[in-house]
Amino acid sequence: MNVVVINPVSVALAHYNLELRATLERSGASVEIRAQAEPSASSTSRVRWLMRHYRSIIAAARLLRPSDSLVVAWPALGHVDSALVALVTRGRGVTIIHDPVPLVRAFGHGRALVAIVRRIPGVRLIAHSQVAKSALVSQGFRHVTLLNHPLLTEREQVAPRNNAGRPSVLVFGQFKPDRDIDLMAQLSESMGSGVDFRVSGRGWPDIAGWDMDRRFVPELEIDPLIRSASAVLIPYRRFFQSGVAIRCLEQGTPVVGPAESSLAEVLLDDRLLGKDEDVSSWVCAIRAAIDTNREDWAKVRRRYLEGTDAQWTEWVDGFKKR
């Protein structure tokens, strides 16, 4: 089976490309990735970028064999992509929907469009968490497959993290309104000076007790940054998946996040999950993450890897049998 992956945001999803290729190949598929940089990372206009993206989908669909599949790794215009993929591949294509209800305003997810697209035969979607799948099903989509977020294997994991000195907690990524900065301020106040609290990402406001690095972090620096922390905190109020959490699995750094999120599916460990506005539960989760040894975290990673490979292998085998 050959899988053609169309990725129109190859800079933002550079690491995801590696994870998706590795996971598909472990599942028995050959992989061809057709990627282009997003307008913000190139000199291409948005219109020209979109035209090139959709021409790429149509051209790839024409060459698909019955057992092949086309995967859009990120929809440029939401369910416009879902509709086009279904129509040109005749059911042999899928669109990965990362945020069924986008955290920021995004074209292609409106009610009117969803009402039309969900009635198109052959629309097939992939979600990376149960909460994302449930959101898509509630919108009326019938063919939604739950597949774990792809990840790299242990042989690709690099040097172990450094825990020398005081423990540190890292929040990584660009600021968005759904970041819980009130929680972050309460955590630094509650845990005192025994822990270093750091933020790396653009657009953040000042938060008491947190050191800010507001520069753009290049791709090559992300993994060393994650390994440098004792724990990574994901202080979103709402999210459907976390690529940062998966990179923490890959890099051997424990991660802490909200109990009512997709992290519960990834970690299966209540000790590393904070509960709503209960600051004490977040403090306990951070301390548990800092105290987590490499062997225990490796077990979490192996379990997630085994589940991921089983799901993707079943999906690949399903296409082979068509």
Side-chain angles (χ1 to χ4, degrees):
M1 176 190 177
N2 185 55
V3 178
V4 179
V5 176
I6 307 293
N7 180 1
V9 288
S10 62
V11 175
L13 292 190
H15 192 76
Y16 184 84
N17 267 358
L18 299 176
E19 294 169 326
L20 184 57
R21 178 190 288 277
T23 301
L24 283 167
E25 289 179 345
R26 292 197 306 269
S27 302
S30 60
V31 183
E32 175 188 351
I33 295 182
R34 301 185 181 184
Q36 65 169 321
E38 51 270 42
S40 62
S42 67
S43 58
T44 305
S45 70
R46 182 170 176 80
V47 172
R48 184 173 297 179
W49 169 71
L50 287 170
M51 291 176 62
R52 183 180 175 187
H53 170 55
Y54 291 125
R55 283 199 301 266
S56 182
I57 291 175
I58 294 170
R62 289 173 178 166
L63 300 177
L64 289 180
R65 300 170 301 178
S67 62
D68 294 344
S69 178
L70 184 150
V71 175
V72 173
W74 184 280
L77 291 178
H79 289 297
V80 172
D81 291 46
S82 306
L84 178 64
V85 169
L87 293 172
V88 300
T89 67
R90 298 182 181 180
R92 286 174 292 161
V94 296
T95 305
I96 299 176
I97 303 295
H98 299 260
D99 298 319
V101 183
L103 300 180
V104 296
R105 187 175 181 180
F107 183 85
H109 294 271
R111 291 184 180 180
L113 180 62
V114 167
I116 295 171
V117 174
R118 68 191 182 195
R119 291 178 170 82
I120 297 175
V123 170
R124 299 181 184 278
L125 308 176
I126 287 175
H128 286 328
S129 68
Q130 183 59 55
V131 65
K133 178 179 179 179
S134 297
L136 290 167
V137 171
S138 70
Q139 292 170 3
F141 291 102
R142 291 174 293 174
H143 300 290
V144 184
T145 302
L146 173 61
L147 297 175
N148 281 354
H149 190 296
L151 77 165
L152 300 179
T153 60
E154 288 188 40
R155 70 174 183 273
E156 291 155 311
Q157 187 173 351
V158 287
R161 61 195 174 101
N162 178 16
N163 278 340
R166 289 199 309 177
S168 63
V169 174
L170 171 69
V171 171
F172 172 74
Q174 183 178 353
F175 176 76
K176 296 182 179 70
D178 271 67
R179 302 279 198 179
D180 195 340
I181 58 177
D182 291 336
L183 170 66
M184 292 170 63
Q186 292 177 66
L187 286 173
S188 61
E189 181 181 1
S190 298
M191 300 189 73
S193 59
V195 177
D196 290 331
F197 290 93
R198 299 182 285 138
V199 171
S200 289
R202 292 179 294 181
W204 283 83
D206 288 333
I207 303 174
W210 289 78
D211 291 329
M212 295 290 169
D213 177 5
R214 296 186 177 91
R215 67 189 177 92
F216 171 77
V217 181
E219 174 62 34
L220 290 177
E221 296 183 24
I222 294 176
D223 287 344
L225 178 64
I226 289 174
R227 290 197 305 275
S228 72
S230 305
V232 169
L233 173 67
I234 300 179
Y236 272 121
R237 293 187 178 92
R238 176 176 67 93
F239 63 94
F240 290 99
Q241 66 182 44
S242 174
V244 171
I246 301 303
R247 292 187 82 151
C248 288
L249 283 179
E250 294 170 356
Q251 297 303 319
T253 300
V255 62
V256 173
E260 298 299 323
S261 73
S262 60
L263 283 184
E265 303 169 38
V266 175
L267 302 179
L268 293 182
D269 189 343
D270 290 344
R271 297 176 305 153
L272 302 179
L273 300 173
K275 299 174 178 60
D276 298 327
E277 298 180 0
D278 181 4
V279 177
S280 63
S281 73
W282 286 89
V283 170
C284 290
I286 289 174
R287 295 200 183 283
I290 291 172
D291 293 339
T292 297
N293 60 49
R294 289 186 57 82
E295 291 74 18
D296 288 343
W297 189 243
K299 290 177 183 178
V300 175
R301 187 182 187 285
R302 284 196 296 270
R303 178 198 53 76
Y304 188 82
L305 177 63
E306 290 170 359
T308 299
D309 285 353
Q311 292 176 3
W312 283 90
T313 299
E314 182 179 358
W315 181 80
V316 167
D317 289 345
F319 264 94
K320 286 180 180 179
K321 295 175 182 177
R322 288 191 174 191

